Amino acid sequence: MALPELMVHGDRILHNVREVVRRCGAAGVDLWGVTKGLCGNPQVGRLFLEGGCTALADSRVRNLRGLREAGIRAPLYLIRIPMEQELEELVEVADGALVSMGETLEALEELCRSRGRTFRAVVMVDVGDLREGVLPEELESLGRRCAALRHVVVEGLGTNLGCFGGILATPENLTELLQGAERFREASGLEAPLVSGGATLSLKLLEEGTLPRGINHLRVGEALLLGTDSTGMRTIPYLNQETMEIRAQVVELRRKPSVPRGTVGVDAFGAVPSFEDRGNRRRAILALGKQDVRLEGLTPLESGVEILGGSSDHLVCDVEEVPALQLGDVLSFRPNYGAMLAAATSPYLDLRVL
Ligand SMILES: *Cc1c(COP(=O)(O)O)cnc(C)c1O
């Protein structure tokens, strides 16, 4: 076992997937499992599919390639608006993508025509969060443009919420999406049956029974991986939150004053640290740092451990209340979404799925 590591409890993630799939199924909602939080880990992708997700989605073509090369045959979608230079690789490894520009749809059409294949697209509509998506008033003109597509199949429309503007999913903004989808269908003459009402954030409406009828699709990552809804600021009551932990080793254990001695400057990240004088305290230094994880996003799992701060490669904890702790011991921390993402991305952490 190499340390530090990100340890993932596969059975708990599978439980979360099944719970979300069951609730979605009862409402006629199809679910894509979003793997980007763990960098497209194929073992986790398989769990998503085993639990009932109908496709996998990721924000990076490289992660989609990894899923494909691991032997996953299910449909794969890119959920970040694609870059021009990655379109060729995209049509090679993926089955579809979220798209918001007519030019991109046409470039995909041309690529697919010359390769004699088809590619699926979900047109993104901005209903207020101001990240990706065409504005509702552009849907007629885009619809007319889409009528000419032969190799790109517009499967439907979708929206993204809670990301740039922090806008919550509501019956109102999702109804606006449904109306937009109707206008797009009329203008394009396409069926475009799928209406994708967002991500983890939209589960709240599903639970409350206020998800507008006609929303038949969601793209969910965080709820499956962590059982939480960061934007909605809640833990999801029917899901497991103990799905993963970051484990790091104690490399120094020593009693030291709680306030540094000398003239204070600025740390390497531009912050001026401040300290409370609690006298001499027992402190542990762990081999884990800002290069590996967002330290602010960690919650210690052993009681009595308190995070004091850290730097690029070191995490300093107060362990006065953990007298049994010894040099070489391993401490565990629960990551939030940001800490999970950083840990999964760091080449210095091993990702281990149990
Ligand atoms: C990340 C992302 C998702 C999944 O979001 P979660 O909050 O993790 O469920 C869905 N759609 C798009 C476009 C995304 O970028």
Side-chain angles (χ1 to χ4, degrees), residues 14 17 34 46 52 93 123 142 214 234 255 293 307 328 341 352:
L14 184 58
V17 180
V34 176
R46 283 206 182 83
V93 304
V123 170
L142 185 69
R234 64 180 188 131
R255 190 171 291 283
V293 71
I307 295 175
L341 185 65
R352 186 158 64 103

Side-chain angles (χ1 to χ4, degrees), residues 34 36 79 98 131-132 160 199-200 219-222 337:
V34 176
K36 69 185 182 203
I79 54 170
L98 307 185
R131 204 178 73 179
E132 73 272 44
N160 192 63
T200 293
R219 318 168 303 270
V220 173
E222 183 184 352
Y337 192 87

Side-chain angles (χ1 to χ4, degrees), residues 286-308:
L286 292 128
L288 180 76
K290 295 188 185 183
Q291 197 170 353
D292 309 307
V293 71
R294 278 193 82 219
L295 300 181
E296 315 79 55
L298 296 181
T299 306
L301 290 178
E302 281 84 4
S303 73
V305 175
E306 188 191 331
I307 295 175
L308 295 173

Side-chain angles (χ1 to χ4, degrees), residues 1-2 5-9 43 247 350-354:
M1 172 189 67
E5 68 169 357
L6 174 58
M7 189 177 90
V8 176
H9 297 280
Q43 279 171 281
R247 304 174 71 246
D350 279 359
L351 199 166
R352 186 158 64 103
V353 183
L354 300 185

Side-chain angles (χ1 to χ4, degrees), residues 36-321:
K36 69 185 182 203
L38 289 177
C39 295
N41 181 276
Q43 279 171 281
V44 173
R46 283 206 182 83
L47 293 170
F48 282 3
L49 294 168
E50 188 184 336
C53 294
T54 54
L56 298 180
D58 202 286
S59 51
R60 309 285 168 146
V61 175
R62 191 197 291 196
N63 292 348
L64 295 176
R65 180 178 281 287
L67 290 165
R68 193 60 94 210
E69 285 175 354
I72 289 176
R73 291 242 177 78
L76 300 180
Y77 285 83
L78 184 70
I79 54 170
R80 179 171 71 181
I81 298 306
M83 285 186 275
E84 195 181 342
Q85 313 93 282
E86 69 188 354
L87 295 180
E88 229 175 296
E89 189 182 1
L90 179 63
V91 299
E92 195 185 298
V93 304
D95 298 276
L98 307 185
V99 179
S100 66
M101 299 298 287
E103 291 88 331
T104 306
L105 288 164
E106 282 151 11
L108 284 166
E109 170 75 10
E110 190 48 39
L111 268 173
C112 289
R113 196 185 51 77
S114 64
R115 285 168 172 67
R117 52 157 301 164
T118 59
F119 191 74
R120 311 179 205 169
V122 175
V123 170
M124 294 303 276
V125 184
D126 186 344
V127 295
D129 192 57
L130 300 185
R131 204 178 73 179
E132 73 272 44
V134 303
L135 296 168
E137 57 266 31
E138 297 173 70
L139 279 166
E140 270 110 15
S141 62
L142 185 69
R144 286 193 294 273
R145 227 165 141 177
C146 286
L149 302 173
R150 293 290 167 272
H151 298 82
V152 173
V153 180
V154 179
E155 284 190 297
L157 292 95
T159 197
N160 192 63
L161 291 156
C163 281
F164 177 75
I167 298 300
L168 300 178
T170 60
E172 291 73 31
N173 52 30
L174 292 184
T175 299
E176 200 179 327
L177 172 66
L178 283 163
Q179 290 164 348
E182 213 36 62
R183 287 214 303 279
F184 177 88
R185 288 173 190 135
E186 275 166 30
S188 64
L190 300 171
E191 257 180 69
L194 181 145
V195 187
S196 187
T200 293
L201 189 59
S202 300
L203 292 175
K204 188 81 196 272
L205 300 190
L206 189 71
E207 292 159 31
E208 292 170 345
T210 56
L211 191 73
R213 274 169 70 94
I215 300 291
N216 55 22
H217 182 269
L218 293 175
R219 318 168 303 270
V220 173
E222 183 184 352
L224 310 180
L225 294 172
L226 293 171
T228 54
D229 169 5
S230 303
T231 313
M233 293 183 293
R234 64 180 188 131
T235 57
I236 301 175
Y238 52 89
L239 299 180
N240 191 320
Q241 285 80 41
E242 298 176 355
T243 52
M244 57 187 84
E245 46 207 86
I246 290 173
R247 304 174 71 246
Q249 189 165 38
V250 176
V251 293
E252 179 183 309
L253 197 56
R254 179 167 280 128
R255 190 171 291 283
K256 285 190 185 178
S258 40
V259 178
R261 189 161 50 88
T263 309
V264 179
V266 171
D267 73 16
F269 296 85
V272 180
S274 73
F275 299 91
E276 178 198 348
D277 193 353
R278 300 156 80 191
N280 282 351
R281 305 279 295 182
R282 192 160 176 262
R283 305 179 336 149
I285 299 181
L286 292 128
L288 180 76
K290 295 188 185 183
Q291 197 170 353
D292 309 307
V293 71
R294 278 193 82 219
L295 300 181
E296 315 79 55
L298 296 181
T299 306
L301 290 178
E302 281 84 4
S303 73
V305 175
E306 188 191 331
I307 295 175
L308 295 173
S311 54
S312 304
D313 307 295
H314 300 87
L315 174 63
V316 182
C317 294
D318 184 298
V319 292
E320 183 70 31
E321 309 298 331

